[in-house]
Amino acid sequence: MRDTFIIISRSQSGSLSSRKEATTYKLATYLLLISVFLYGTSIPNLSLICLIPCLPLIYFLKHTKLTVSFLVDASLVFLFAFLYYTMCVLFEITSEDDWMESKMIFLIANMTLAYIIGYFLAQNFTNISVVIAVTVGGLFSYGLLSTASYVWNHLGEVSSNNYLITERAVPSFWNGGTINGPIIGIFFSLSICLISVIYSRINWFAKVCFLGLACTGIFFNLMLQNRSPIYAGVLAFSLATLMYVNRMRLTHKKLVVLIVLFCLMPLNLFFVDFSETKSLFDNPFMERLISEGLDTPRYELWYKGLVGLVEHPMGGAKTDFSPFDYAHNLWLDVGWYVGVIPMLLLLLIQLKHVPYLLSFLKNKPHQSYGVIGISVSFLVAMMVEPTLIASYTYVTLFFFFIGYMKGIHLHGDLAGKEERE
């Protein structure tokens, strides 16, 4: 009888301990997700420090496996961040040297920590939709608060301009500092590209939320007259559609329906009253889109940036990009600021993580539509905007995302699947 009592007591003690560990694990996971979201909102001071307490939180997660590959990549991220920010300060090539010098430790630490957090989070939390929502949510909220606040305070002016923000810039919601419209645009671009989630196997409420984010992003990007986020959204949706059609089992009936719908689309032109729709094109956004199309001064800037890398391989912002102050391209901007070595280091980090992305798309196709959207958004923005110069937060969250993709590949469901195969 006594032995039975001891066994029961130990069983209850073990059950309580197990529940306590599960609660601690969940709390640590949620705090990590909340910290990433808060970081994206760019709240002064708070966002700079909110990732720092995440490092000890990792201890309370269930799985924290280390690999040599992870240590190498995390070291590369740290090395890139260290070289970029220290050289920026040493070269004195920004207008905010004092601010950058005082915050440099946080900037370097946040970029490295974001990658580490993403990697360890993937071992414990595999809901990719939530991770994407957290990655996008903070930046989207910051862009939405800043833009909506400006529109509300200048409603009469905006409405008289066909609901366009002619200055293509808005004050920061937090401190009133000017934010360039295209930079707000790349925040909204992340939400626009999530239109690809319509094909995902998630509940309808989640789909409606993602589509709401996408539509809001399109609306405000039109107000800011940004074209690149719209192009990115079209590309993301097209790739997701191709993937969906490729994976669906096309019976003869489904194929006929798709062909008929495709052929009927041009017939809609016969039912359009062009006298009524003509006014839709009488605004600066459409005029810019129609007159310029895909033509942009960025091509000339990219050429100057490439030539500048040869002429000034150690950086120092010596290439003349006038009337602009950057090459409108992440890699060329890094090379322009701090030289070829950090630029190649960044490119190496990104290329090393492409296989992890492709592996996810191959092995988890039904969960990949959001990954396609956010990846396309990051790629297009980095190609056409000075992302790191304008928003260290944006690039830091990119490192969080690729760290998560690496963790999923090495320790998530994909790892088990590849071992079985």
Side-chain angles (χ1 to χ4, degrees):
M1 190 71 177
R2 182 182 176 186
D3 292 341
T4 304
F5 176 76
I6 292 173
I7 292 172
I8 293 173
S9 298
R10 287 177 179 174
S11 175
Q12 290 176 342
S13 177
S15 178
L16 289 173
S17 177
S18 176
R19 289 177 186 175
K20 186 177 180 180
E21 288 178 2
T23 302
T24 303
Y25 149 72
K26 287 182 179 179
L27 182 60
T29 303
Y30 295 151
L31 286 174
L32 287 178
L33 291 168
I34 291 170
S35 296
V36 172
F37 174 84
L38 287 175
Y39 180 78
T41 57
S42 300
I43 303 172
N45 297 326
L46 175 62
S47 289
L48 271 176
I49 64 173
C50 68
L51 293 185
I52 306 297
C54 291
L55 192 58
L57 274 178
I58 292 171
Y59 173 79
F60 298 101
L61 298 176
K62 282 184 178 179
H63 309 291
T64 52
K65 297 178 183 177
L66 288 172
T67 64
V68 174
S69 175
F70 161 71
L71 293 174
V72 169
D73 287 344
S75 299
L76 290 176
V77 173
F78 169 79
L79 183 59
F80 166 73
F82 178 80
L83 288 175
Y84 179 80
Y85 286 112
T86 53
M87 292 175 73
C88 279
V89 172
L90 290 174
F91 286 162
E92 297 182 350
I93 53 178
T94 70
S95 59
E96 299 180 344
D97 285 328
D98 293 339
W99 180 88
M100 186 175 287
E101 184 174 2
S102 64
K103 309 295 184 186
M104 187 170 64
I105 295 177
F106 293 101
L107 297 173
I108 296 170
N110 282 335
M111 200 168 281
T112 310
L113 281 173
Y115 183 83
I116 293 171
I117 291 168
Y119 176 80
F120 285 116
L121 184 64
Q123 300 179 39
N124 297 270
F125 189 81
T126 57
N127 190 330
I128 189 68
S129 297
V130 173
V131 172
I132 289 175
V134 167
T135 307
V136 174
L139 293 169
F140 175 85
S141 298
Y142 176 57
L144 179 65
L145 289 171
S146 300
T147 309
S149 176
Y150 175 84
V151 172
W152 180 258
N153 294 327
H154 299 80
L155 190 58
E157 177 186 339
V158 172
S159 60
S160 64
N161 289 318
N162 293 322
Y163 291 96
L164 295 175
I165 300 174
T166 54
E167 300 86 356
R168 301 194 66 207
V170 296
S172 168
F173 180 79
W174 305 115
N175 56 22
T178 303
I179 313 173
N180 200 309
I183 300 306
I184 290 286
I186 67 174
F187 299 164
F188 286 135
S189 173
L190 289 168
S191 64
I192 291 173
C193 290
L194 291 183
I195 196 170
S196 59
V197 174
I198 193 172
Y199 296 119
S200 294
R201 287 185 174 178
I202 55 178
N203 62 66
W204 278 101
F205 177 75
K207 284 187 179 182
V208 169
C209 290
F210 279 118
L211 287 175
L213 290 175
C215 292
T216 305
I218 291 172
F219 175 74
F220 282 113
N221 262 306
L222 291 175
M223 292 187 74
L224 291 163
Q225 306 171 59
N226 294 323
R227 296 175 299 173
S228 299
I230 307 299
Y231 297 150
V234 172
L235 177 60
F237 183 72
S238 300
L239 291 175
T241 302
L242 286 174
M243 183 175 176
Y244 180 76
V245 171
N246 182 56
R247 296 200 61 83
M248 69 185 293
R249 295 178 180 178
L250 282 176
T251 62
H252 291 295
K253 289 182 179 179
K254 289 181 179 178
L255 184 60
V256 169
V257 170
L258 284 174
I259 293 173
V260 170
L261 289 175
F262 182 79
C263 293
L264 286 176
M265 286 176 65
L267 296 179
N268 290 328
L269 296 175
F270 291 101
F271 302 97
V272 175
D273 186 350
F274 289 102
S275 62
E276 295 293 333
T277 58
K278 185 177 181 299
S279 60
L280 297 175
F281 296 89
D282 293 335
N283 61 73
F285 175 83
M286 293 306 300
E287 289 173 4
R288 183 168 174 245
L289 187 64
I290 294 170
S291 63
E292 297 181 19
L294 294 174
D295 191 21
T296 170
R298 290 184 178 91
Y299 303 144
E300 184 179 350
L301 294 174
W302 294 349
Y303 175 74
K304 288 182 178 180
L306 289 170
V307 173
L309 286 176
V310 177
E311 295 177 346
H312 311 288
M314 297 308 295
K318 298 175 181 177
T319 304
D320 181 17
F321 287 116
S322 58
F324 301 95
D325 295 324
Y326 33 76
H328 265 289
N329 177 283
L330 170 65
W331 304 281
L332 293 176
D333 285 329
V334 171
W336 179 56
Y337 264 31
V338 294
V340 173
I341 294 175
M343 183 198 75
L344 293 177
L345 189 58
L346 173 61
L347 194 58
L348 173 65
I349 294 168
Q350 293 170 321
L351 290 177
K352 279 174 62 65
H353 287 77
V354 171
Y356 307 137
L357 171 65
L358 296 178
S359 175
F360 191 92
L361 298 181
K362 176 185 175 182
N363 293 292
K364 291 197 170 187
H366 299 300
Q367 298 181 34
S368 296
Y369 297 106
V371 174
I372 290 174
I374 195 172
S375 300
V376 168
S377 182
F378 276 129
L379 175 63
V380 173
M382 290 177 178
M383 285 183 64
V384 302
E385 298 296 349
T387 48
L388 185 52
I389 293 175
S391 177
Y392 60 86
T393 305
Y394 180 89
V395 178
T396 300
L397 287 175
F398 166 76
F399 281 116
F400 165 76
F401 176 69
I402 63 173
Y404 186 84
M405 297 308 297
K406 182 182 181 73
I408 281 284
H409 178 83
L410 294 183
H411 306 294
D413 296 339
L414 296 184
K417 183 173 183 178
E418 289 181 357
E419 288 176 1
R420 289 191 297 272
E421 292 175 351

